[in-house]
Amino acid sequence: NPKTKEQIENLLRNGMNKELRDRLCCRMTFGTAGLRSAMGAGFCYINDLTVIQSTQGMYKYLERCFSDFKQRGFVVGYDTRGQVTSSCSSQRLAKLTAAVLLAKDVPVYLFSRYVPTPFVPYAVQELKAVAGVMITASHNRKEDNGYKVYWENGAQITSPHDKEILKCIEECVEPWNGSWNDNLVDTSPLKRDPLQDICRRYMDDLKKICFYRELNSKTTLKFVHTSFHGVGHDYVQLAFQVFGFKPPIPVPEQKDPDPDFPTVKCPNPEEGESVLELSLRLAEKENARIVLATDPDADRLAVAELQENGVWKVFTGNELAALFGWWMFDCWKKSKSRNADVKNIYMLATTVSSKILKAIALKEGFHFEETLPGFKWIGSRIKDLLENGKEVLFSFEESIGFLCGTSVLDKDGVSAAVVVAEMASYLETMNITLKQQLINVYEKYGYHISKTSYFLCYDPTTIKSIFERLRNFDSPKEYPKFCGTFAILHVRDITTGYDSSQPNKKSVLPVSKSSQMITFTFQNGCVATLRTSGTEPKIKYYAEMCASPDQSDTTLLEEELKKLIDALIENFLEPSKNGLTWRSV
């Protein structure tokens, strides 16, 4: 690639040795979402070469794992990201991924245009391929891209596959003959385009989670949808059609793909009102009460609703999950066959997400389970449960990642968007808003008030020392017993596998040595977790007050939570001492 070659030559010419070392002396590793990094030259960046190397490693590993690899083939999808300065685009990287495999006589299902991320795991399962890759950096800043790997079960890879693939990548870093030949995509008889077929099957499967088609076709509610300059527009339009809705109103400035994301500070709908500005203004103009925002690769969903007082309510991931959990269970109850057993029903969430599903499950009699953070763990667990004849109605992670049903084993913003529309239309017939229904859910199952945010920290050693201090707080190998004035009941450390609440002091969730994560359970019923991000230079914190249904004084609960978070930041993260950057709201 002449552009990336030029970047390295310029650094060399200008004697930028530190930057050269940073770029060339380390390799990307698999995080919670596969490989993710900035686009540009160097082994720790996403570029033509590192994608070729990763795919060669994948080939080597898959050949070892599957004797029928060359019969079953491999799926490749991509989003709409790109960077002119390194002539690097998701589409080009997808073509190179396909070329490496086609040159080795592997059949490749390469989508002929951009698709939502969930289409890749869906295609892997439907086409019975051995694995798949999606070229995307989801909602990261525009400079980034990524390489997300799915296994034959349609879930993202988990340990030990990630470690083994990395080993294989390191064994074959020199491009093979044919690896650069992206013309193969146009000439090889082994390349197939699964777009029409997969889109048709996906839309057909959506019908399984549609319960009120008739009602949807008559609703007076209007919806605005923004796809954040990404892939979502066409697919959300189709999904609305399947559910019997009139099409949602698109935000014209954000409807078409644009790798520069020109109208938003960052392309992450999780950031709330500041990034939803255009869609909220359009909704007011069009008299639409609900805004649906899919992130650039359409695997996450943000929702906002106009309140009676003219203020917009942007729901958090945890609040939306409370609504989805209630809705999916309610629909199951109303449509189940006579002999269906509630004990066969499951809902899942990652351990840093709200415990609201646990409260609903306890009251209604179904099962709730937690997994490690990252949807890859949810996907794998769903697969196990389905193989044992169980039914999983809903799964989520608090960072607005939702999965209704089990047609896909990854979070899916397209299906989540249309399910919210159906839920809102159903509630509208009873003059209930989403916000009012959320209160109804909390009144019935107990208020769950949570807050999630983060600090930026670009220095890995600072991050490490923050967590090591917590492991050796007042004395060596002793975790803190208090946080300010708040007494700590239990500590669970996923990095080391310690859990003070278990009889054998060992964590039930698997150990995850590569990332930092400690959870504190407080005497007052609050649960707080500190962890590093698997995809960005962040220290995240999650805190939730879980109240019983008889505690309905929300002001009191909110005050207590705020005080606790302040204590957590001041005592455990020490932002000024550690030079952490506060999240800018």
Side-chain angles (χ1 to χ4, degrees), residues 48 76 82 116 120 142 169 219 242 298 322 325 329 412 442 453 484 488 509 534 572:
D48 295 5
V76 183
V120 170
K142 67 179 180 190
I169 292 171
T219 187
V242 170
F329 186 70
D412 183 356
Y442 284 151
S453 193
I488 295 168
L509 288 175
F572 290 177

Side-chain angles (χ1 to χ4, degrees), residues 101-211:
L101 299 167
L102 291 167
K104 289 285 185 191
D105 300 322
V106 174
V108 174
Y109 297 97
L110 171 66
F111 284 98
S112 55
R113 71 188 290 242
Y114 54 81
V115 287
T117 290
F119 272 42
V120 170
Y122 181 74
V124 169
Q125 278 191 291
E126 287 290 305
L127 304 168
K128 301 188 171 41
V130 298
V133 156
M134 174 73 185
I135 307 290
T136 179
S138 190
H139 58 281
N140 274 38
R141 59 193 195 129
K142 67 179 180 190
E143 289 79 10
D144 292 354
N145 216 327
Y147 186 94
K148 206 168 185 179
V149 183
Y150 294 89
W151 203 240
E152 64 167 343
N153 61 3
Q156 278 178 65
I157 55 164
T158 52
S159 217
H161 297 308
D162 50 0
K163 309 280 180 292
E164 293 300 319
I165 292 168
L166 278 176
K167 262 189 229 160
C168 289
I169 292 171
E170 278 165 3
E171 283 163 21
C172 39
V173 288
E174 195 170 321
W176 300 328
N177 286 343
S179 284
W180 281 102
N181 182 10
D182 59 353
N183 290 339
L184 280 174
V185 164
D186 304 311
T187 57
S188 170
L190 288 173
K191 191 219 79 176
R192 293 161 207 165
D193 174 16
L195 183 68
Q196 290 334 105
D197 179 34
I198 288 303
C199 200
R200 195 196 71 249
R201 292 197 214 184
Y202 174 90
M203 294 301 163
D204 252 3
D205 266 343
L206 267 188
K207 293 172 186 164
K208 294 176 186 165
I209 51 174
C210 176
F211 300 95

Side-chain angles (χ1 to χ4, degrees), residues 185-355:
V185 164
D186 304 311
T187 57
S188 170
L190 288 173
K191 191 219 79 176
R192 293 161 207 165
D193 174 16
L195 183 68
Q196 290 334 105
D197 179 34
I198 288 303
C199 200
R200 195 196 71 249
R201 292 197 214 184
Y202 174 90
M203 294 301 163
D204 252 3
D205 266 343
L206 267 188
K207 293 172 186 164
K208 294 176 186 165
I209 51 174
C210 176
F211 300 95
Y212 296 96
R213 197 169 192 279
E214 180 94 342
L215 200 142
N216 298 342
S217 63
K218 297 197 186 92
T219 187
T220 53
L221 274 185
K222 285 161 102 181
F223 303 93
V224 160
H225 169 239
T226 171
S227 44
F228 265 67
H229 301 292
V231 307
H233 174 75
D234 296 344
Y235 301 99
V236 170
Q237 293 274 324
L238 282 170
F240 264 67
Q241 212 174 313
V242 170
F243 268 56
F245 284 109
K246 292 185 190 75
I249 303 160
V251 176
E253 304 92 326
Q254 298 176 332
K255 167 173 93 68
D256 299 318
D258 186 332
D260 286 326
F261 307 112
T263 65
V264 286
K265 189 176 77 216
C266 72
N268 183 359
E270 247 189 297
E271 296 291 336
E273 210 160 327
S274 61
V275 289
L276 296 173
E277 184 67 30
L278 282 173
S279 45
L280 302 181
R281 297 300 79 85
L282 177 67
E284 287 163 2
K285 199 175 106 198
E286 293 283 352
N287 215 359
R289 205 182 73 214
I290 288 170
V291 166
L292 302 164
T294 46
D295 72 342
D297 67 328
D299 65 348
R300 291 166 192 248
L301 175 76
V303 180
E305 180 184 57
L306 188 60
Q307 304 305 300
E308 296 260 283
N309 61 2
V311 174
W312 283 94
K313 158 79 179 159
V314 181
F315 294 91
T316 66
N318 286 332
E319 290 172 334
L320 287 173
L323 288 166
F324 276 122
W326 156 75
W327 175 253
M328 293 305 287
F329 186 70
D330 195 66
C331 292
W332 175 80
K333 253 190 337 205
K334 287 174 181 163
S335 63
K336 69 175 169 47
S337 56
R338 212 172 298 147
N339 55 358
D341 182 4
V342 71
K343 297 221 168 345
N344 220 25
I345 296 296
Y346 281 74
M347 289 196 195
L348 308 179
T350 59
T351 183
V352 292
S353 304
S354 171
K355 311 284 181 252

Side-chain angles (χ1 to χ4, degrees), residues 443-456:
E443 296 281 346
K444 183 170 180 184
Y445 302 107
Y447 276 90
H448 284 61
I449 296 169
S450 56
K451 172 138 169 58
T452 300
S453 193
Y454 58 81
F455 286 91
L456 290 166

